[in-house]
Amino acid sequence: IAGITQAPTSQILAAGRRMTLRCTQDMRHNAMYWYRQDLGLGLRLIHYSNTAGTTGKGEVPDGYSVSRANTDDFPLTLASAVPSQTSVYFCASSDSLAGGKDTQYFGPGTRLTVL
Amino acid sequence: GQNIDQPTEMTATEGAIVQINCTYQTSGFNGLFWYQQHAGEAPTFLSYNVLDGLEEKGRFSSFLSRSKGYSYLLLKELQMKDSASYLCASMDSNYQLIWGAGTKLIIKP
């Protein structure tokens, strides 16, 4: 069982280009999340999905979009990348959004540099 | 607003005990999480507290006081592999995690 995989591992991107970060989980978790992690700041939620077919905005959604066509996949798209989107991006999943021990499990991350 | 505070960096000696504090202020509360993150890697789950008191799990223990908005992570018998960042996160009323910036723990021989 792989858990959560992310691709690519790292990417250097020219400003203005479109980019999709991929995330796949094989744990059949209902909820999935995208975070960005910047030096000196806590993880910040970009978008989340409670279940397949639904998505919601987190703390820093501007410039990003997501889709959740099925349980396993949760891609994050940057429509037109800007240098401020340089960050490490983590995808996570959890069994349920609400109630009980809602532990989130993280993928290995994508290091994105926008020049 | 919502806020999580924890020290930026701590240093401890191999074999010793260290306590990493976290204070939180969130809209509602559905539990306090601690994660470990080694440099260049993903965060991994350590502990979850929703009731007041101490939860012990091997060399690691986590404490919660809801009335004080306070938690700590206690690491005993420190090993070099414990050098990492420790992330505190509070789950708010919307079941979203609000994360602290992390405490970088440096272990010296």
Side-chain angles (χ1 to χ4, degrees), chain A residues 35 37 40-43 45 48 57-58 90 97-108 111, chain B residues 30 33 35 37 40-45 47-48 57 87 91 94-102:
Chain A
Y35 291 95
Q37 187 175 42
L41 299 177
L43 288 159
L45 184 65
Y48 65 94
K57 294 182 179 180
F90 286 103
L97 182 62
K101 192 175 178 180
D102 192 32
T103 301
Q104 294 185 15
Y105 298 91
F106 285 79
R111 184 174 297 275
Chain B
N30 281 297
F33 290 79
Y35 280 74
Q37 185 178 25
E41 298 183 7
T44 56
F45 170 75
S47 68
Y48 169 75
K57 191 186 297 184
L87 313 182
M91 182 168 279
N94 293 319
Y95 297 96
Q96 290 189 3
L97 286 176
I98 309 301
W99 296 82

Side-chain angles (χ1 to χ4, degrees), chain A residues 27-90:
Chain A
M27 297 177 284
R28 308 303 293 172
H29 282 172
N30 290 314
M32 297 187 74
Y33 314 85
W34 274 104
Y35 291 95
R36 59 179 290 172
Q37 187 175 42
D38 302 291
L39 196 64
L41 299 177
L43 288 159
R44 291 184 291 170
L45 184 65
I46 303 171
H47 285 285
Y48 65 94
S49 170
N50 291 353
T51 188
T54 69
T55 62
K57 294 182 179 180
E59 178 187 356
V60 289
D62 294 344
Y64 305 95
S65 63
V66 292
S67 61
R68 186 90 183 275
N70 56 60
T71 297
D72 299 344
D73 301 301
F74 191 43
L76 176 74
T77 297
L78 288 68
S80 179
V82 294
S84 62
Q85 291 177 312
T86 293
S87 188
V88 180
Y89 291 86
F90 286 103

Side-chain angles (χ1 to χ4, degrees), chain B residues 12-20 36 46 54-63 72-83 86 105 107:
Chain B
T13 304
E14 189 177 15
I17 299 173
V18 71
Q19 178 176 311
I20 303 174
Q36 181 189 60
L46 285 178
L54 188 68
E55 294 273 350
E56 297 186 76
K57 191 186 297 184
R59 294 188 300 113
F60 292 9
S61 302
S62 56
F63 172 84
Y72 68 73
L73 181 69
L74 191 72
L75 292 73
K76 303 176 184 176
E77 301 170 14
L78 286 170
Q79 302 175 9
M80 297 304 293
K81 68 179 182 180
D82 297 330
S83 292
Y86 292 85
L105 179 63
I107 310 295

